[in-house]
Amino acid sequence: MRSIAIKNHKLPLINGDLFTYVDILIKEGNSGSSVIVPHVCNNINSFGAGFALAVSKHYPIVKENYHMLGNTFLKNNLGYVQFVEVTNNPTFGHKLIFANMISQNGIIGPKNPRPLNYLALTKSMVNINLYVKHHFIDKDKKIQIHAPKFGSGLAGGNWSFIEELIKDIWNNIPVCIYCK
C-alpha cells in the first residue's frame, strides 16, 4: 500500500485496521517505511476510551508512558506531544512511533461538548511536523503518518476542520486516515 502527500484534495481514507497496516509497513523491506501514529489524548491522565483503548490493548507501553507524564504535567501542557517508539525493524530501520498529542481539555460531557482544544491540536501537529523533519526528512529516511480520525470522536472536534489542518501542517508528509 502506498500513500501520497495530499495538498488540495481529500485525504486517503482507509476502511481497515490501522494496527495491521502499520505492522505490514514497518516489516516491508525497501518498499516499507517508518510510521507515526498520532492521536489525541486528554490532559486528565485518562487513557481508556476511544482509539486510546485500542492502542493500550495493542501496545500497552504507549499507555504506560502517557501515565508517567503525571497529572500536573498533563494539566499544564496542552499542545505537548509524547513520542513513544514501540517497534524498530532491525534489518531496515523502520520504526513504529505513537504520538500522544495532549490536545483535549478534560472529557466530553454536557458541560464540555468539545474538549478538543484547536490551538493545542495545532501546536501538537506542528511539533510532529518538526519531529518528522528532524528525524526523518533531513536524514533522507522514509516516513508516513497513519492515523484515526483524531479529535473528531470523543474529543468532539469537527473532522472537516481537522482535515484542513492536516493538509496545511503535514503537507510534506504522506498521510493516511483510517475510518474504522
Side-chain angles (χ1 to χ4, degrees):
M1 171 188 44
R2 281 271 170 243
S3 60
I4 55 172
I6 304 293
K7 290 184 182 180
N8 297 317
H9 304 289
K10 288 278 189 193
L11 292 170
L13 291 177
I14 298 172
N15 187 13
D17 180 46
L18 178 146
F19 300 101
T20 300
Y21 282 113
V22 298
D23 188 52
I24 291 169
L25 264 176
I26 62 166
K27 289 179 180 172
E28 287 183 343
N30 292 329
S31 62
S33 174
S34 289
V35 177
I36 292 180
V37 179
H39 66 112
V40 167
C41 296
N42 62 58
N43 66 341
I44 61 168
N45 211 7
S46 180
F47 199 97
F51 185 72
L53 178 61
V55 171
S56 68
K57 289 180 179 176
H58 285 86
Y59 300 102
I61 192 169
V62 178
K63 179 179 181 177
E64 293 164 10
N65 275 264
Y66 166 80
H67 287 308
M68 282 193 280
L69 293 174
N71 293 334
T72 302
F73 182 88
L74 288 167
K75 184 174 177 82
N76 294 309
N77 286 285
L78 278 172
Y80 177 78
V81 181
Q82 180 188 46
F83 295 95
V84 182
E85 183 180 311
V86 298
T87 307
N88 187 340
N89 178 320
T91 306
F92 297 98
H94 303 320
K95 299 176 180 182
L96 176 56
I97 303 165
F98 280 80
N100 294 334
M101 299 187 293
I102 314 304
S103 305
Q104 181 178 321
N105 190 11
I107 56 174
I108 200 163
K111 293 183 179 180
N112 195 10
R114 184 184 50 83
L116 180 67
N117 181 301
Y118 286 119
L119 176 59
L121 178 62
T122 302
K123 286 180 181 179
S124 292
M125 293 174 69
V126 168
N127 286 332
I128 290 171
N129 193 32
L130 294 171
Y131 180 90
V132 165
K133 182 179 180 338
H134 178 72
H135 292 279
F136 295 94
I137 294 173
D138 287 350
K139 295 180 179 176
D140 215 19
K141 295 181 180 178
K142 292 189 218 173
I143 185 69
Q144 297 181 26
I145 291 176
H146 288 246
K149 284 185 164 184
F150 59 82
S152 63
L154 295 175
N158 178 305
W159 176 249
S160 296
F161 180 69
I162 295 167
E163 184 177 30
E164 294 304 314
L165 288 176
I166 292 170
K167 290 189 280 187
D168 287 351
I169 298 168
W170 294 338
N171 62 6
N172 59 332
I173 308 164
V175 175
C176 285
I177 302 298
Y178 292 77
C179 51
K180 179 179 176 184

